[in-house]
């Protein structure tokens, strides 16, 4: 289960960076200039998440690749930290997932296996529904 907390990943990240033990942190960034202008940060975060998850429509589960979508649904991730900054016209949303996808060659046998274990295709429950 993913725990959405008020910056816990950032605190963990800062501690890890200070101790020079940064590993397995994935980060994704969304920048917008008009989409969320004047809206609450919760709306900005929601729209960024919708945008990132929307990448699933172009994702081929048989040919793994790193993307905002894969960072967002990485099975092993347990914590999510989100930061938002805006100057009124431009908004930046940063999400950090921990633990995240390790930095490795995604085309290596090890990389492909990790992605297959952590980026699972959607389950179709339609066959389970009895009329």
């Amino acid at each position: 289960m993913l725990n959405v907390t008020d910056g816990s990943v950032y605190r963990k990240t800062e501690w890890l960076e200070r101790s020079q033990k940064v590993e397995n942190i994935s980060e994704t960034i969304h920048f917008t200039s008009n989409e969320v202008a004047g809206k609450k940060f919760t709306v900005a975060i929601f729209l960024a998440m919708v945008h990132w998850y929307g990448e699933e429509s172009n994702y081929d589960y048989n040919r793994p690749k790193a993307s905002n979508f894969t960072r967002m649904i990485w099975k092993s991730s347990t914590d999510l930290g989100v930061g938002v900054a805006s100057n009124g016209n431009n908004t930046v949303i940063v999400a950090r997932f921990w633990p995240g996808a390790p930095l490795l060659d995604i085309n290596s046998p090890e990389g492909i296996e990790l992605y297959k274990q952590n980026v699972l295709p959607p389950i179709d429950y339609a066959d389970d529904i009895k009329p």
Side-chain angles (χ1 to χ4, degrees), residues 52-70:
W52 294 325
Y53 193 80
E55 294 177 8
E56 192 267 343
S57 62
N58 297 317
Y59 190 78
D60 182 351
Y61 291 90
N62 296 314
R63 301 179 81 192
K65 66 178 182 178
S67 68
N68 296 316
F69 167 70
T70 59

Side-chain angles (χ1 to χ4, degrees), residues 9-60:
V9 171
Y10 284 102
R11 286 192 295 277
K12 287 179 186 177
T13 303
E14 289 170 4
W15 177 82
L16 289 169
E17 287 171 349
R18 283 195 303 273
S19 65
Q20 300 179 352
K21 295 180 181 177
V22 177
E23 60 183 55
N24 291 343
I25 296 173
S26 292
E27 182 173 88
T28 190
I29 300 171
H30 181 72
F31 173 81
T32 183
S33 57
N34 296 321
E35 187 178 70
V36 296
K39 295 188 169 115
K40 294 185 178 192
F41 283 164
T42 52
V43 173
I45 293 167
F46 173 78
L47 291 174
M49 296 285 180
V50 168
H51 177 80
W52 294 325
Y53 193 80
E55 294 177 8
E56 192 267 343
S57 62
N58 297 317
Y59 190 78
D60 182 351

Side-chain angles (χ1 to χ4, degrees), residues 3 43 65 92 101 106 117 122:
N3 300 315
V43 173
K65 66 178 182 178
V92 176
I106 193 167
Q117 291 172 5

Side-chain angles (χ1 to χ4, degrees), residues 64-80:
K65 66 178 182 178
S67 68
N68 296 316
F69 167 70
T70 59
R71 287 180 195 98
M72 185 176 181
I73 68 159
W74 193 259
K75 182 180 176 184
S76 297
S77 292
T78 58
D79 291 273
L80 165 64

